[in-house]
Amino acid sequence: IKKVLEQTNLVSEQANNLASALKGENKKAGNWGENVLETILQNTGLIKGEHYITQDVHYNEEDKKIIPDVVVNLPDERKVIIDSKVSLVNYDNYFTCETEEGQKLELTKHIASVRQHVIELSQKKYDDIKGSLGFVMMFVPIESAYLLAMQNDRELWNFAYNKNVVLVSSTTLISSLRIFADLWRTDKLNKNAEKIIENSGKMYEKFVGFLETFEDIGDKINKTNETYHKAFNQLKDGRGNLIKQAKDIQTLGVKTLKSIPEKFEGYDE
């Protein structure tokens, strides 16, 4: 029991430390959000390095270096940009605040924080990346923080969309990523179908070529047969045919080791 209590206290302490770090250090909070994002990407069947790239360096139209959290590749060289943004401080304060007035204040600050993230993200101009669909997905890794802002600011989604930013939570992001994965599967099937059609065309050409060769073999066999019968007729036809002449030579007493096969008997008359 003592060991169980120690482990429970340790987990609780680690959770508190993580929460404190995420609320107090933007860098750690950002890293945590990126890890959540990549975990979701991996669980939806997308392959790192092929279907998506993390922390890839690009340049916008002003030739300024930009490094989005994730670039998801789509068929036909299209790209979807995803950036994780964590807003925890005011969200946490909202739930821990003991007065209604304090909660309202923290809620206002939380929504303002999300809006500020949208503004900062739109200013980076990730949508300038070549092949981009013209918008960037802003991923809020804490579902309840996303819902709290969306439910209490009905204009928030349109506000972001007008700045080419699409707000997504874990749930909506997973749905989108599964669609992207299906696009890759469909693209693979289409390419395989094209390959099958191409190979079928090649096989058809080979088959036609074989038929032509086979027909040529038949013609040659028929011609050989005709030549055979012509030569055979030369052996057996006429009173002075070659078989009769050979038999006459044998009759004259010429010493021979072989006899004319029985098959050719009767053609010496």
Side-chain angles (χ1 to χ4, degrees), residues 9-212:
N9 291 333
L10 178 60
V11 170
S12 178
E13 183 182 351
Q14 289 174 342
N16 289 333
N17 290 339
L18 174 61
S20 298
L22 293 179
K23 287 185 288 183
E25 298 184 37
N26 291 333
K27 178 61 178 173
K28 287 185 178 180
N31 291 341
W32 174 78
E34 291 166 15
N35 289 334
V36 173
L37 174 56
E38 184 159 3
T39 300
I40 292 173
L41 285 161
Q42 292 171 348
N43 290 337
T44 50
L46 296 173
I47 301 171
K48 186 175 183 178
E50 181 180 348
H51 297 145
Y52 72 92
I53 303 171
T54 58
Q55 301 296 321
D56 195 28
V57 177
H58 295 269
Y59 293 88
N60 59 20
E61 290 182 351
E62 299 169 358
D63 203 33
K64 184 178 179 180
K65 184 167 71 174
I66 49 178
I67 308 175
D69 290 341
V70 172
V71 176
V72 178
N73 297 318
L74 298 179
D76 300 323
E77 298 184 353
R78 305 297 284 170
K79 301 180 188 301
V80 174
I81 317 302
I82 307 175
D83 208 76
S84 173
K85 296 296 180 187
V86 181
S87 295
L88 272 177
V89 177
N90 300 116
Y91 164 76
D92 181 67
N93 291 342
Y94 170 81
F95 286 103
T96 57
C97 192
E98 297 180 355
T99 66
E100 183 177 346
E101 184 179 346
Q103 277 193 327
K104 287 181 179 179
L105 179 61
E106 295 300 333
L107 176 59
T108 300
K109 289 181 178 180
H110 173 61
I111 293 172
S113 174
V114 175
R115 281 181 170 253
Q116 185 59 35
H117 280 314
V118 169
I119 294 170
E120 291 172 358
L121 191 56
S122 67
Q123 289 174 344
K124 291 182 179 180
K125 300 203 177 288
Y126 286 157
D127 51 299
D128 285 347
I129 293 174
K130 184 179 179 181
S132 167
L133 296 181
F135 62 85
V136 56
M137 285 184 166
M138 180 177 137
F139 171 58
V140 181
I142 302 173
E143 187 87 20
S144 54
Y146 169 85
L147 291 174
L148 182 65
M150 295 291 285
Q151 289 170 353
N152 290 278
D153 185 351
R154 298 300 176 87
E155 294 300 317
L156 180 56
W157 200 91
N158 286 332
F159 169 78
Y161 188 76
N162 289 333
K163 294 184 179 298
N164 298 325
V165 175
V166 175
L167 290 172
V168 293
S169 65
S170 297
T171 303
T172 52
L173 180 62
I174 288 171
S175 301
S176 300
L177 293 176
R178 289 198 180 279
I179 292 173
F180 299 157
D182 286 339
L183 287 175
W184 278 114
R185 281 191 285 271
T186 302
D187 181 69
K188 186 176 181 180
L189 288 173
N190 290 338
K191 286 180 178 177
N192 286 341
E194 291 173 5
K195 190 68 177 176
I196 290 170
I197 293 171
E198 181 184 348
N199 289 343
S200 298
K202 290 178 180 179
M203 187 190 75
Y204 176 81
E205 295 294 332
K206 285 284 186 183
F207 181 68
V208 171
F210 171 78
L211 289 179
E212 292 172 348

Side-chain angles (χ1 to χ4, degrees), residues 239-252:
R239 295 186 63 83
N241 64 69
L242 291 174
I243 294 176
K244 177 173 175 43
Q245 293 185 46
K247 293 280 283 185
D248 289 344
I249 290 173
Q250 190 180 35
T251 303
L252 292 173

